[in-house]
Amino acid sequence: YNDGQIVRTWTQRGTIHVVNAKDVQWMTKLCATKTLSSFTKRKEYLDINDHQYDLALWYLQEYLSSWPKLRKDIGLYLEQSGISIQAGLLYNILCYAGSSGLIVQWPIIDEKQAFVLTSQRIKTTTTVSDTDAVRELCLRYFTSHGPATIEDLQRWSGLGKTLLKQWI
């Protein structure tokens, strides 16, 4: 973890996973679509509009451009920039940014997870076609979680059963 071979990020279901840094981009692209679509309802619940959310992401990207920052420092920076982080909004901003592939958690600073722009941390990625990505995810899941069912894989990945059945 400390040398950056693995990172923590939201590759699927809005849940933080530990992932090989080289696999973050294809796994996030494959699995985070459903998570990203759920943010429409989250924004309504948090009473924040698209412009405010986009502005928060812009400030996050600007702040992280000067390397890793702790969550508490990100929250302070957003508040100082006029972005309210009440009622779980900071977590939602970070989750959205991770699910979009913008950020990952790395390194540990003062025994706490820090955040960094994905582009700063991950320089080498595994390129996997969309078709091969589903096959690779299935192979990795059943290799590491067996015995397991397609329903288990569906819950874990957030992907649809029809898509997954093509590869099982």
Side-chain angles (χ1 to χ4, degrees):
Y1 184 83
N2 287 336
D3 69 8
Q5 291 182 41
I6 58 173
V7 294
R8 290 171 36 125
T9 193
W10 293 264
T11 51
Q12 65 252 23
R13 298 186 336 270
T15 303
I16 297 172
H17 287 81
V18 175
V19 180
N20 183 322
K22 292 179 181 180
D23 296 332
V24 166
Q25 291 180 339
W26 73 261
M27 287 184 77
T28 303
K29 181 182 175 190
L30 175 66
C31 297
T33 305
K34 189 173 180 181
T35 302
L36 291 171
S37 66
S38 73
F39 278 90
T40 301
K41 286 190 178 189
R42 290 183 194 190
K43 286 187 254 184
E44 287 174 19
Y45 175 77
L46 294 168
D47 195 27
I48 186 169
N49 64 42
D50 288 338
H51 174 72
Q52 293 167 310
Y53 212 75
D54 291 344
L55 190 57
L57 291 172
W58 184 86
Y59 279 120
L60 175 64
Q61 188 167 356
E62 177 187 29
Y63 189 53
L64 291 179
S65 68
S66 61
W67 212 235
K69 303 288 192 238
L70 295 174
R71 180 180 174 149
K72 68 179 176 74
D73 297 329
I74 293 170
L76 289 172
Y77 179 78
L78 290 176
E79 283 188 325
Q80 291 169 354
S81 300
I83 304 296
S84 173
I85 58 165
Q86 90 301 343
L89 183 57
L90 178 58
Y91 174 80
N92 280 275
I93 290 168
L94 294 172
C95 181
Y96 185 86
S99 298
S100 299
L102 180 65
I103 64 171
V104 294
Q105 287 186 342
W106 180 88
I108 296 174
I109 299 174
D110 297 330
E111 299 182 8
K112 294 181 173 87
Q113 295 287 333
F115 296 86
V116 67
L117 295 173
T118 304
S119 60
Q120 290 172 322
R121 177 66 235 136
I122 300 173
K123 301 298 182 191
T124 305
T125 63
T126 302
T127 304
V128 180
S129 71
D130 292 346
T131 303
D132 289 341
V134 177
R135 183 171 41 85
E136 184 65 23
L137 188 75
C138 291
L139 177 66
R140 289 183 186 195
Y141 180 80
F142 286 115
T143 301
S144 64
H145 288 77
T149 65
I150 191 167
E151 288 79 11
D152 297 328
L153 173 58
Q154 181 183 13
R155 277 188 297 278
W156 179 79
S157 68
L159 296 174
K161 200 176 208 178
T162 304
L163 176 65
L164 296 171
K165 277 188 173 182
Q166 296 173 28
W167 301 103
I168 298 178

